[in-house]
Amino acid sequence: MHTATQTCTPEDLLAMPDRKGFELVDGRLVAINSGTLSSWVGGETFGLLASHVGRHNLGIVWPADNGLQCFPDDPAKVRRPDVTFVAGDRFAAGRLSEGFLRVVPDLVVEVISANDLARDVERKVAEYLDAGVKLVWVVDPDTRT
């Protein structure tokens, strides 16, 4: 995980042309680790979940390029799980807005990449649960778990 030294706001991140490759933690840009295998597993997970959710009209599923800004302890934090699901009845007037998602998801999926450190994945899981996410899946492509 590479962290930039210059501080940044969520608005700054949204304005960046390469914003999809970064999260925002403690005011610092953090490069997202990804590789071919983890990207493929995340895409397959998104596709399967989106198909099921769509077939049963359960809500909305986002792929990895969506950012979450739903952390009450740090409103400026932006995380990008590999897959995000929010039940359909959780949106005011059924409308989506631009910017980062501020609704606490019902499910997030983190796919472990080759360069991810266990402590970083554990920190993300704790942040999601502390924010009120009901369910967090951590998928390890190497062990197929």
Side-chain angles (χ1 to χ4, degrees), residues 14 22-23 26 35 41 43 48 62-63 72 87 97-98 108-109 112 124 138-139 144:
L14 276 172
F22 294 94
E23 294 179 316
D26 299 326
V41 169
L48 291 168
W62 287 271
S97 62
E98 291 299 324
V108 298
V109 180
I112 297 174
K124 284 184 180 184
V138 177
V139 179
R144 300 176 64 99

Side-chain angles (χ1 to χ4, degrees), residues 43-56:
E44 288 293 301
T45 304
F46 166 76
L48 291 168
L49 192 57
S51 176
H52 175 78
V53 167
R55 205 173 324 120
H56 299 284

Side-chain angles (χ1 to χ4, degrees), residues 21-35:
F22 294 94
E23 294 179 316
L24 185 60
V25 181
D26 299 326
R28 308 256 188 251
L29 293 175
V30 178
I32 296 172
N33 290 324
S34 64

Side-chain angles (χ1 to χ4, degrees), residues 9-106:
T9 67
E11 293 75 23
D12 295 334
L13 181 56
L14 276 172
M16 292 173 48
D18 58 347
R19 68 182 166 263
K20 293 180 182 178
F22 294 94
E23 294 179 316
L24 185 60
V25 181
D26 299 326
R28 308 256 188 251
L29 293 175
V30 178
I32 296 172
N33 290 324
S34 64
T36 304
L37 179 60
S38 60
S39 293
W40 179 78
V41 169
E44 288 293 301
T45 304
F46 166 76
L48 291 168
L49 192 57
S51 176
H52 175 78
V53 167
R55 205 173 324 120
H56 299 284
N57 197 28
L58 299 174
I60 300 174
V61 181
W62 287 271
D65 62 351
N66 186 48
L68 300 180
Q69 190 180 356
C70 63
F71 303 93
D73 65 324
D74 187 355
K77 182 184 296 175
V78 177
R79 288 292 195 184
R80 293 184 188 278
D82 294 293
V83 182
T84 304
F85 164 72
V86 177
D89 61 353
R90 307 239 351 267
F91 290 101
R95 296 189 48 131
L96 295 175
S97 62
E98 291 299 324
F100 298 117
L101 182 64
R102 294 177 182 263
V103 175
V104 176
D106 294 288

